Amino acid sequence: MSESQRAQLAGDAVTGDGTTSGITDDGTADVVILGAGPAGLVLGNLLLASGIDCVVLERADRAHVQTRARAGYLAANTVRILEEHGLAEGLRRGGVPHAVCEFRSGDGRFRLDYGSIGPAGAHTVYPQQELVTDLLTHYLDAGGRLEFETEAVAVLDADGTRPSVVVRTADGEGQGRNGRWRGRYVAGCDGRHGAARRSLPAGVVRHHRDHGVTWLGLLAEAPPSLDAVGYAVHRRGFAGHMARTSEVTRYYLQIERGGPADAWSEQRIWDELALRMRAADYGPLRRGPIVQRAVVDLESDVLEPLRRGSLFLVGDAASLLSPSAAKGANLAVLEAEILARALVDDLAHGNPEGLDRYSARCLEHIWRAQEFSHWMIQLLHSPPGPADGETLFHDALARSRLETLRTSRTHQQWFAEGYVGV
Ligand code: APR
C-alpha cells in the first residue's frame, strides 16, 4: 500500500507532497504498541519494567478487553515467562494444573498423561480474560500509558527511523477524531485484522491455509464432564471438551461450513455432543445453558518476514494458528518476550542484534507450532461431505494415527512435547 493510500484509509487530507494533514499529534513514545491482548500487554509490562518509554493503543474499551473469553491453556514456558517478570500472581492463585487428554473414537478411548511424559511439562488452565485483566492491572499500577478506544488505522513511515501511527479515537458522540502517535518502533500486537498487517507492503509473504473445517465454539455454564481435555473423533465430525473453571466448560462441535451460529438449538447441541463423545458408553455430559457461541473456520497463516523497518508483528498479527492445539496465546507471550529483550538491548544498550534476529527466531517457533497444529487437525477431523473413497482413506489414516498414539511410547513423547512446547 502506498503512503497516500494509507493516509486516505486514515481519512486524512493528503497534500501534494504526499504528507498528511488534518490529524493532530497525540504523543510520542519510544515504542508504540498496538493492541492490549496477551501479546501487547506482556510486551508493555516487560518494557515498562526495564524503563523503556512505551504506550499501548487499544481499539476496545476496558470492559470489553477484560471480559473477552478466549483461550485458557497456558504452557509451562508461558508460566515461566510470567513468573520471571512478576506477572503470575493471579494465575498462581487461580490457575489449575492440567496434564491429561482423553481421545475417544469408534475403537474405544484412551488417556494420555502428557504432563508427566514429555519434557515440556503440563498446562495451567487460567481463562485468558483473567490473565489479560492481571496484565492490564499490573501495567496500569506500574504507571504504564494505555489509551482505550483508540483504534490504529495505519502505520506510516515504517521504513524510516520515525514511524507514526494514525489513530481514530471516539469522541463520545460516535464521530471520532484523527490523531497520530510517533515512535521509534511500532509493535503490531493488534491481531489478524489489525492496522499492522494492513500497513505492510505487498512484498510481505502470507502463507495461508484454509483447513476446510468449521467449528461451533461454545461456552457452557456447566461443570466439566471429564477431568481431561476430551477429543472425540467421529464420522459425523469432531467434538471437543475443555474445562475452564469448575462452573464453565468450553465445547467444540465440527459443523458444516456456512451455517449461522444460531442454527443449532441448545437441545440439538447437547445431543450431538453426547453422541460424538459417546456419552452412552463413557458417561453423560453435564449440561447447562450455552452462554456464548461462535462459528470458527479453521485457518492458519504466517507472515514472513515479521519485521518491516521499524514495525514488528507479534502474536496473531504475526501468525494465526488454528485453535486445535491451543497454542495461539502461548506463542504470543513467547514472541512478546523475545521482542521485549531485543528492544531493551537496542534502546537501552545500543545493540540492534536482537531486533535483526527477531523475525527468524520467532518464525522457527511459529512453524513448529503450525506443524503440530496441522497434525492435530488431520487427526481430529473427518473431511466434510459424503463418505467417498478419499474420505474413507483419510478416516482410516486417522484411526491408524490414534492407534499409534495409544500404543507407541515414542509417539506419546513426541505428542507431549509438541502439545505443550512452544
Ligand atoms: N487498533 C488498536 N487495537 C486493535 C486494533 C486496532 N486497529 N485491532 C485490534 N486491536 C486490539 C483488539 O481489540 C485486541 O484487544 O488488539 C488486541 C489483539 O489481541 P488478541 O486478539 O488477543 O491477539 P494477541 O495479543 O496476539 O493474542 C494472541 O491469544 O486467545 C489467543 O487465540 C488468541 O491466538 C490468539 C492469542
Side-chain angles (χ1 to χ4, degrees), residues 34-40 57-60 64-65 68 70-71 128 150-153 189-195 198 314-317 319-321 327-330 332:
L34 314 184
L57 309 178
E58 166 58 49
R59 180 180 58 186
H64 182 81
V65 169
R68 200 168 32 196
R70 300 185 69 188
Q128 188 167 310
T150 300
E151 179 181 8
V153 183
C189 308
D190 51 348
R192 67 181 297 205
H193 299 298
R198 279 202 308 275
V314 193
D316 271 14
S319 170
L320 183 67
L321 275 120
K327 288 194 172 299
N330 293 302

Side-chain angles (χ1 to χ4, degrees), residues 343-365:
L343 285 167
V344 173
D345 277 352
D346 181 81
L347 291 165
H349 310 296
N351 177 8
E353 211 176 287
L355 291 180
D356 293 341
R357 289 179 34 222
Y358 171 76
S359 179
R361 274 194 73 183
C362 290
L363 284 169
E364 207 174 295
H365 293 287

Side-chain angles (χ1 to χ4, degrees), residues 11 75 77 79 94 120 193 210 220 223 231 261 269 282 307 355 372 398 400 404:
N77 189 55
V79 175
H193 299 298
D210 179 340
Y231 293 114
I269 287 171
Y282 305 128
R307 174 183 188 175
L355 291 180
F372 185 81
S400 179
T404 311

